[in-house]
Amino acid sequence: MMSFRQAMNPTNLMNTPNITSDDPMNGAHCCLICRKEIKRLNLTLMGRPFRPLPVCNCVKENFFREERERELAEKRARILRIYGDGLMDEELKRASFANFEQRTGTENGYKIAKMFVEKFTEQDAGLYLFGPVGNGKSHLAASIHHQLLDQGYASVFINVNLLFRKLKSTFGSNSQKSDFDYIQAAMQCEILTLDEIGLKPLSEYEFGVLYDILDGRKGKITNFTSNLDFKRLREWLSQDKDGRELDPDSRAFDRIVGGTLPIRFQAESSYREFKLQQRLKALQEVI
């Protein structure tokens, strides 16, 4: 059967047999894919009857679907060339839901993160995972990233401080990637995770990068991890490291809170303190 692209080629169209036949069933056929009967159209071209046999809708839909999939695959490949596995440490590269140790104060975060992946196509907002250090926020955010990446999504995980260092390393160098490349890829990916926002005061340039990414992702899903609640986040975004005003209208803050569901982590101690207590307890049992 002729493809949609072939069917719409003017040469093939004009050479189609019986194209001016008065009989609408002359040359009609049943689509081999959907079994729908395809009849000739009744048109006039330059005063002459013109009765082409149209391409079945299922063929057109399949063509456009393949085109969208091809474009998406190319975009995913471009993003992967920029970020690879993401900007994260080796520990987070191994993070998964299976090796996350749940503790009191982290149970809800774990359940919501798993549900986020399971129902990703239904999500209309990202997650803002916040709370004290060592509560497993980055681990769960990385677990979401890895699982969606495995499912074929263009997922990017970025520790924002590593991103700022990476961007500055492109200045005046022979790097094949510019800061614009990194920013564009972060804007265009299907799911973005910005890890550890609020860890260090921002420079004017860093705020500009962050705002460009947030503004460019309107309508897309972005996850965040932070030690800061929303009140402290607003303060962090309001001025730079030298105390100069950055965002008087709270534009960046509005982009974050308007597109996320805040999830608080409240474990009594950090994961590293928790593991230390486990080792001490095991040692006491031996002694």
Side-chain angles (χ1 to χ4, degrees):
M1 185 174 62
M2 189 179 296
S3 71
F4 178 70
R5 194 186 297 275
Q6 291 171 325
M8 297 310 293
N9 184 295
T11 301
N12 292 331
L13 188 62
M14 296 309 297
N15 289 336
T16 302
N18 306 311
I19 202 166
T20 61
S21 170
D22 291 333
D23 183 1
M25 296 304 295
N26 192 344
H29 69 89
C30 179
C31 177
L32 296 177
I33 299 175
C34 69
R35 315 308 297 176
K36 178 181 176 181
E37 186 178 65
I38 307 299
K39 298 181 180 179
R40 291 192 177 279
L41 300 176
N42 188 12
L43 306 174
T44 301
L45 182 64
M46 300 179 66
R48 298 177 58 192
F50 182 67
R51 297 186 174 89
L53 190 63
V55 176
C56 183
N57 285 336
C58 75
V59 176
K60 291 187 285 186
E61 290 168 2
N62 185 61
F63 169 80
F64 289 122
R65 183 176 62 253
E66 290 177 352
E67 285 290 290
R68 288 193 298 269
E69 290 174 354
R70 180 186 59 78
E71 291 172 0
L72 181 58
E74 290 176 355
K75 183 176 78 170
R76 287 170 173 167
R78 288 196 302 270
I79 292 170
L80 187 61
R81 285 195 295 271
I82 296 295
Y83 280 107
D85 293 334
L87 300 180
M88 66 180 79
D89 61 32
E90 292 301 318
E91 185 177 346
L92 290 181
K93 288 180 180 179
R94 298 188 295 271
S96 69
F97 290 114
N99 61 25
F100 180 77
E101 292 191 48
Q102 294 188 62
R103 295 176 290 134
T104 302
T106 66
E107 306 96 332
N108 286 341
Y110 175 80
K111 292 176 184 177
I112 292 171
K114 286 206 72 175
M115 188 182 304
F116 180 89
V117 172
E118 292 165 1
K119 299 184 177 182
F120 179 67
T121 57
E122 303 173 23
Q123 303 302 327
D124 59 2
L127 302 178
Y128 184 83
L129 310 178
F130 72 102
V133 64
N135 270 222
K137 306 180 297 295
S138 295
H139 186 118
L140 288 177
S143 301
I144 292 172
H145 159 72
H146 293 316
Q147 198 154 326
L148 291 177
L149 193 63
D150 289 343
Q151 291 177 17
Y153 290 99
S155 180
V156 172
F157 185 102
I158 300 173
N159 178 296
V160 293
N161 295 291
L162 291 179
L163 173 64
F164 295 148
R165 289 206 293 270
K166 178 71 72 174
L167 298 183
K168 292 170 185 175
S169 72
T170 66
F171 298 168
S173 70
N174 295 323
S175 172
Q176 295 182 345
K177 302 172 186 175
S178 68
D179 59 346
F180 180 77
D181 293 326
Y182 286 101
I183 294 169
Q184 282 288 102
M187 290 166 54
Q188 294 173 357
C189 62
E190 292 162 275
I191 168 72
L192 173 68
T193 302
L194 293 176
D195 183 44
E196 297 283 17
I197 66 168
L199 190 61
K200 296 178 181 178
L202 293 168
S203 67
E204 185 177 1
Y205 169 76
E206 291 167 346
F207 173 80
V209 168
L210 181 60
Y211 181 78
D212 284 347
I213 292 173
L214 296 174
D215 191 56
R217 289 193 60 75
K218 286 183 292 188
K220 297 181 180 179
I221 301 295
T222 307
N223 290 338
F224 302 85
T225 75
S226 180
N227 297 335
L228 308 180
D229 59 21
F230 279 162
K231 180 178 182 296
R232 294 170 62 200
L233 176 68
R234 185 195 290 271
E235 294 171 354
W236 179 70
L237 290 165
S238 66
Q239 60 183 23
D240 69 10
K241 59 184 180 180
D242 297 317
R244 292 183 294 241
E245 192 174 55
L246 278 177
D247 193 15
D249 299 320
S250 298
R251 295 169 301 162
F253 177 76
D254 183 69
R255 296 286 187 275
I256 295 174
V257 300
T260 57
L261 174 68
I263 308 297
R264 182 188 294 273
F265 286 69
Q266 304 182 81
E268 294 181 356
S269 61
S270 75
Y271 177 73
R272 290 168 183 81
E273 290 177 359
F274 169 71
K275 297 300 288 185
L276 172 60
Q277 293 302 320
Q278 282 189 327
R279 290 194 296 271
L280 290 174
K281 183 178 179 180
L283 179 60
Q284 290 173 351
E285 290 175 354
V286 171
I287 295 175

